[in-house]
Amino acid sequence: MKHLDKKSLEKLNQRISDHSLRCLGQTSNLIDFSSNDYIGFSKNKRIYTNTLNLLEKNNLKINGATGSRLITGNHSLYALTEDYIAKFHSVEKALIYTSGYNANIGLIPAICQRNDIIFFDEFCHASIREGILLSNAKSFKFKHNSTKDLKEKLSKTDKNATIYIVTETVFSMDGDSPNIETLITLSKAYNARLILDEAHAFGIFGEKGCGLINSSNSEAIFARIITFGKALGCHGAAILGSKDLINYLVNFSKSLIYTTALSPHSVATIYEAYRELELTAAINQLKKNIVFFNSEKERFQLQNQFIESQSAIQCIIIKGNKKVKKAALKLQENGFNVKAILSPTVPKNEERLRFCLHNYNTNKEISLLFLLLKKLL
Ligand SMILES: Cc1ncc(COP(=O)(O)O)c(C=O)c1O
C-alpha cells in the first residue's frame, strides 16, 4: 500500500485550511533578514581556505567519516577540535554531535531517568521537547522566562528527587533571554542541574562570541549545548560539561553512538570557524546593527508591536497565519527575505515576522525595511 492513511491525510488537509502548510522553498538572492548566518561565516573565504589547508596538512583528503565515532569515524580532527572547543568555553570537555537537534535528543533522554523531574521553559525548541518526550523522566513546563513560576514549581517538588532545569539563553522564535544569574541561584538553592541551549547566543554574545555563559559562571552549569549551524555558519553542535558527563554520553547517548560521524571536512570547518572567532570584527558590527534596529523600532513607533529583544532575532507580532503570510510576501516582493512564523510553530494569535540580523545588513536596508513595515501595518 503506497497511500497515506486517512488520519495523516486529514492532518495535512487541516494544515491547508489553517494556512499553515509547510513547503520546501528555494534559496533566494533577496536581502537576508532570515538566515542564521549572523556573522557571515558561511561565506567567509578565510575559513574556507584554512579548512582545505587543514585537511591537506592532516592528509585527510577523504569525503566521509566511514562510520560512527565508536567504530571507524573518529578521525584525528575530532580530538583537535574538541580540545580547542573545551578550552575556548572554559569547560573540562566538549563532545561534538552531528547537529543541535541530535545533541538535544541525545543528551536529555540519556541523562534524565525514571522518577527524575525536568522543568523546562514553555517556549523551548522542538529538539528539547522531543528529548524530554524520549526520556523516562517526569516533566513540567514553566512560564516563558518566568523564574518566579519556576521557583514556585521547584518549591513544591520532592527534595529527594533528581531535578533538571532546561532552557535556552536566547530563544529562537522570540529573541529574548531568561535571567541566567537567577536561574543559577535557583538551581543551587534547589539542588537542580541546569542545562542551557546556547544555539542563538554563541557567536554573538560574550568574549569572542563564547555565548552568555563564560568562565565566571560556567562552573554552575551542568550541560551546555552550542550549535555550529547558526553564527558559526557551518554544521554540527557540541555538548559542553564535565569529563564524567562526556564519558557518560559516549556510553549512553544514542544520537551520538548510532549515527555516522561528521566528515573530516565538517569538523575542519568547525575548527577553523572557531579560530576565526578569535580574529573577526564581524560580531562588533552585528552588535551595532542590533542597536540600530532597536533605535529604528522607536523612530517608527513600532516598539510596542515587537517582542523586546537585544539579540540578533527580532520579531513583530501580526496575528493570524493568513495575515502574517501576506505581510511576509509583501516584504519579499520588495526585495527583503523575511519569513513568517506561523502557528502551530508559535502559539495561535502570536504569529510573527521574524527578522534575523547580520553583520552584513546595512543601516540603509534596515531603515527601508521599517519604512515598508510602517506602511504595511
Ligand atoms: C534553540 C535551538 N536548539 C537547537 C537547534 C537545532 O540545531 P541544529 O540546526 O544544529 O539541528 C535549534 C535550531 O533551530 C535551536 O534554535
Side-chain angles (χ1 to χ4, degrees):
M1 177 99 69
K2 67 175 184 180
H3 302 296
L4 268 183
D5 70 290
K6 196 164 162 256
K7 274 185 288 176
S8 307
L9 271 178
E10 274 168 12
K11 277 172 78 179
L12 205 50
N13 286 332
Q14 187 66 43
R15 280 275 157 98
I16 297 171
S17 51
D18 290 346
H19 302 280
S20 63
L21 186 72
R22 293 175 168 125
C23 298
L24 295 172
Q26 292 207 325
T27 54
S28 76
N29 290 324
L30 302 180
I31 299 165
D32 183 7
F33 278 102
S34 66
S35 83
N36 293 321
D37 192 18
Y38 301 122
I39 49 173
F41 272 22
S42 82
K43 299 183 192 77
N44 183 303
K45 290 201 171 69
R46 189 159 45 197
I47 297 174
Y48 186 83
T49 311
N50 288 347
T51 297
L52 297 182
N53 290 342
L54 184 66
L55 291 168
E56 288 259 343
K57 201 170 116 197
N58 285 276
N59 200 21
L60 278 166
K61 288 182 253 168
I62 52 172
N63 300 318
T66 77
S68 70
R69 290 193 67 181
L70 287 160
I71 308 289
T72 56
N74 203 36
H75 47 82
S76 57
L77 293 183
Y78 265 114
L80 176 82
T81 307
E82 286 174 341
D83 287 349
Y84 194 100
I85 295 174
K87 229 186 225 151
F88 184 91
H89 292 282
S90 317
V91 280
E92 277 179 23
K93 279 271 185 194
L95 185 65
I96 293 178
Y97 280 71
T98 50
S99 72
Y101 197 98
N102 281 341
N104 277 324
I105 65 163
L107 170 73
I108 300 169
I111 288 293
C112 306
Q113 303 177 44
R114 197 171 301 285
N115 297 327
D116 292 352
I117 296 177
I118 306 172
F119 291 106
F120 66 102
D121 189 289
E122 61 179 335
F123 288 178
C124 274
H125 188 260
S127 56
I128 295 176
R129 285 185 277 118
E130 202 64 26
I132 293 170
L133 279 178
L134 287 172
S135 82
N136 288 318
K138 290 181 212 150
S139 61
F140 302 94
K141 283 184 215 175
F142 58 90
K143 287 194 191 125
H144 180 52
N145 283 342
S146 171
T147 45
K148 182 170 173 277
D149 188 40
L150 173 63
K151 187 176 178 188
E152 271 169 33
K153 294 194 157 87
L154 283 166
S155 67
K156 292 179 193 147
T157 305
D158 177 1
K159 303 265 174 306
N160 296 315
T162 302
I163 304 171
Y164 293 90
I165 300 168
V166 189
T167 190
E168 298 174 26
T169 54
V170 172
F171 276 81
S172 60
M173 290 300 155
D174 303 75
D176 54 1
S177 298
N179 185 325
I180 294 169
E181 289 316 310
T182 311
L183 284 174
I184 291 175
T185 306
L186 283 178
S187 67
K188 284 182 181 161
Y190 291 91
N191 232 351
R193 289 175 177 79
L194 188 53
I195 299 178
L196 295 177
D197 184 329
E198 288 248 81
H200 296 277
F202 172 49
I204 298 151
F205 294 109
E207 202 188 336
K208 295 178 194 153
C210 72
L212 283 163
I213 305 303
N214 50 45
S215 51
S216 70
N217 54 12
S218 86
E219 272 296 298
I221 314 299
F222 174 70
R224 236 181 303 167
I225 298 95
I226 46 165
T227 65
F228 307 136
K230 321 288 184 209
L232 236 51
C234 47
H235 203 101
I239 293 176
L240 313 177
S242 67
K243 276 186 193 140
D244 283 351
L245 170 68
I246 301 307
N247 189 19
Y248 179 85
L249 293 174
V250 169
N251 281 276
F252 295 103
S253 176
K254 292 186 180 162
S255 63
L256 178 95
I257 300 167
Y258 300 108
T259 195
T260 302
L262 286 175
S263 67
H265 185 273
S266 287
V267 181
T269 310
I270 296 166
Y271 180 79
E272 292 300 342
Y274 262 94
R275 293 199 340 131
E276 184 68 20
L277 277 180
E278 314 258 2
L279 308 172
T280 188
I283 299 175
N284 282 341
Q285 184 56 48
L286 170 63
K287 284 190 176 144
K288 283 186 193 155
N289 289 351
I290 296 171
V291 170
F292 184 70
F293 193 95
N294 271 321
S295 70
E296 288 296 81
K297 276 181 199 169
E298 306 229 337
R299 185 163 77 94
F300 285 87
Q301 294 178 338
L302 287 171
Q303 69 273 26
N304 294 336
Q305 275 121 296
F306 271 87
I307 297 170
E308 155 73 23
S309 162
Q310 302 301 321
S311 76
I313 300 170
Q314 302 281 340
C315 297
I316 187 165
I317 302 286
I318 299 180
K319 287 183 190 175
N321 281 345
K322 207 171 162 186
K323 215 166 150 194
V324 74
K325 270 166 93 171
K326 202 170 153 196
L329 189 66
K330 264 271 167 289
L331 293 176
Q332 288 157 15
E333 283 167 359
N334 280 280
F336 292 90
N337 192 355
V338 175
K339 294 284 190 278
I341 308 294
L342 310 176
S343 57
T345 299
V346 290
K348 214 169 167 50
N349 288 328
E350 289 181 32
E351 294 83 0
R352 63 200 64 176
L353 291 177
R354 178 175 180 258
F355 306 97
C356 294
L357 307 183
H358 311 93
N359 67 309
Y360 47 84
N361 291 133
T362 62
N363 285 1
K364 197 172 157 202
E365 289 167 358
I366 294 172
S367 297
L368 210 57
L369 182 72
F370 271 96
L371 211 63
L372 279 165
L373 259 183
K374 189 74 183 172
K375 268 195 212 159
L376 262 179
L377 298 171

